[in-house]
Amino acid sequence: QKLKGEVKTGGQHKQKVFINVTLEGLKIIDMVSMVVQHTHPVHQISFISRDVTDSRAFGYIFGPGDNTHKFFAIKTANAAENLVLALRDLFQTVYEMKKKEVEDAKAQVAGDGENVDTSLQTPANGEGEEGQ
């Protein structure tokens, strides 16, 4: 609430942006120039929340990987509910994809031990090619 008040009293103009949501993450694009202002990969977004006092506002925390974090506050033209739900679904989808990737990798490692190449093994009776 304190930060919200500071923005209001500071007279900062709100930049009009598009939010592009893909499996890779979010892109914030300036509506006028169409220049990408920010690109935030999903794995670097740590928290997202709607503003309980304004149905058109939400925010998220982005950590670029250098032990810092930045809060991004977005106010939408309409209710933010659909965008927040889309982001929730995005995080769930990416989580499920990553989980499957890890499970597949584990299965691959476990499967490698079972598929042993027998062409280089010695016969069980101890004889090599000479004894045949």
Side-chain angles (χ1 to χ4, degrees), residues 4 17-18 34 52 54 57 65 73 77 81 107 119-121 127 129:
K4 209 168 159 183
V17 296
F18 289 114
M34 296 307 291
V52 294
D54 186 345
E81 179 78 14
S119 63
L120 300 176
Q121 292 182 349
E127 294 180 18
E129 288 181 21

Side-chain angles (χ1 to χ4, degrees), residues 44 62-69:
Q44 292 180 323
F62 171 72
D66 59 359
N67 289 328
T68 64
H69 292 84

